[in-house]
Amino acid sequence: MKKRTWIFAGFLAGLIFFIASWIGGTNFLMGGTIHSGDLIDQYISFFAYFQHTLLHDFSSISFSFSNGLGGNTAGNWGYYLLSPFNLIALLFPTKFLPQALYIIILLKVMVASASFCWMSQKLHHLADPWAISLAVAYALSSYVITYIGNLMWLDAIAFLPLLVVFVVQLSKGSFSFPYIWLLAITIVANYYTAFMVCSFLIGFFIYQSYLNYSNWKNLLRNSL
C-alpha cells in the first residue's frame, strides 16, 4: 500500500466537491449558499453561540437566552456542537461563519474519502485506482450530498471506515485503544448517527467473528 494514496483520495474528493458545489451554487467560498437542511436557519446561530461561549463567555455553556426564550443548552451541545471538526469555526470571525461551515463540510468529505481508501487497501489490498475510485464514490454518495446541510451527520461517514478496520482486528483478537477513542468521538460528535453506527458495528462484529471462527474459547474471548 502506497503511503500517500489515501491522501490523494481525500484531496480528489475535496476538489470534486468544491467544483461541483461551485457550479451548483452551494459553495459559500464562491458566493453560493446551501438551502437543504437547517444550515442557514439554525446552524449559523448555534455556531455563533459556540464561538461566543468558548471565546468570550464560558459561563453561558449551560444556559442561554438565545435558546428560544432562554433555557438549558445541553441538548444543543450534544446534537450540534461537539464534533471535533467544529473547532475550526473558532478561527473565523462571526460574519464569516457560513464560509467556516463550508470548510468543515469540505474537510469531512475529504476525511471520509481518505479513511475509506485506507480501509479498502488495509483490508482488501485493492489497487490504487480501485481504492481511490471507491473512496471518492463513498465520500460523494447521495447520503452525503443530500445531507450536507446537516453537517453534524457527516462525522459518522468520515469515521466509519476506520471503525470497520478496528472491528475486523477485534474479531481476530487484536484489541486497540484507538478504537475506543474513535468510537467515543463518534458518539460524542452526534449521538443520532452514532446509534446507527454502533448498531452496524455489532452486526459487523458478529459477521467477522463467524468468518474468523476457530473455536468457542477464542470466540468468547474476542466477544468479551
Side-chain angles (χ1 to χ4, degrees):
M1 180 176 63
K2 294 176 180 169
K3 294 181 179 180
R4 294 182 175 82
T5 302
W6 59 274
I7 297 177
F8 179 77
F11 174 79
L12 181 60
L15 180 62
I16 293 174
F17 180 79
F18 184 90
I19 294 174
S21 60
W22 184 5
I23 296 173
T26 58
N27 188 327
F28 281 112
L29 298 179
M30 306 306 295
T33 186
I34 296 175
H35 299 287
S36 63
D38 300 314
L39 192 68
I40 299 299
D41 298 330
Q42 295 185 27
Y43 285 42
I44 300 299
S45 297
F46 286 147
F47 274 79
Y49 162 70
F50 176 75
Q51 283 186 335
H52 176 74
T53 300
L54 296 186
L55 297 179
H56 304 293
D57 184 15
F58 196 74
S59 63
S60 64
I61 191 171
S62 61
F63 183 91
S64 172
F65 283 108
S66 65
N67 185 32
L69 295 176
N72 191 293
T73 58
N76 292 340
W77 282 97
Y79 192 70
Y80 294 99
L81 299 174
L82 292 182
S83 168
F85 289 96
N86 292 353
L87 295 174
I88 295 171
L90 301 179
L91 303 177
F92 291 79
T94 303
K95 65 179 180 180
F96 292 123
L97 272 178
Q99 288 80 3
L101 298 189
Y102 179 84
I103 290 175
I104 291 173
I105 294 170
L106 181 64
L107 286 176
K108 290 183 180 183
V109 169
M110 295 174 69
V111 171
S113 181
S115 62
F116 191 94
C117 181
W118 183 77
M119 178 203 71
S120 64
Q121 293 194 312
K122 180 77 171 179
L123 298 182
H124 303 292
H125 307 290
L126 294 181
D128 289 353
W130 281 107
I132 294 171
S133 299
L134 291 174
V136 171
Y138 172 80
L140 300 178
S141 64
S142 59
Y143 174 89
V144 173
I145 301 304
T146 300
Y147 291 115
I148 56 173
N150 298 89
L151 70 164
M152 77 285 185
W153 289 0
L154 303 182
D155 289 71
I157 298 297
F159 297 142
L160 180 58
L162 303 178
L163 291 169
V164 164
V165 173
F166 288 128
V167 169
V168 170
Q169 293 174 349
L170 277 175
S171 68
K172 298 178 180 179
S174 177
F175 176 79
S176 61
F177 280 104
Y179 170 72
I180 295 178
W181 288 107
L182 186 60
L183 183 59
I185 291 172
T186 304
I187 294 172
V188 169
N190 186 257
Y191 73 88
Y192 181 73
T193 51
F195 172 79
M196 290 176 272
V197 167
C198 290
S199 299
F200 168 78
L201 292 179
I202 292 172
F204 186 67
F205 175 80
I206 294 173
Y207 170 69
Q208 287 295 319
S209 297
Y210 168 76
L211 293 181
N212 297 296
Y213 172 80
S214 57
N215 56 65
W216 287 106
K217 181 179 178 180
N218 288 338
L219 178 62
L220 180 62
R221 182 189 64 186
N222 295 347
S223 299
L224 292 176

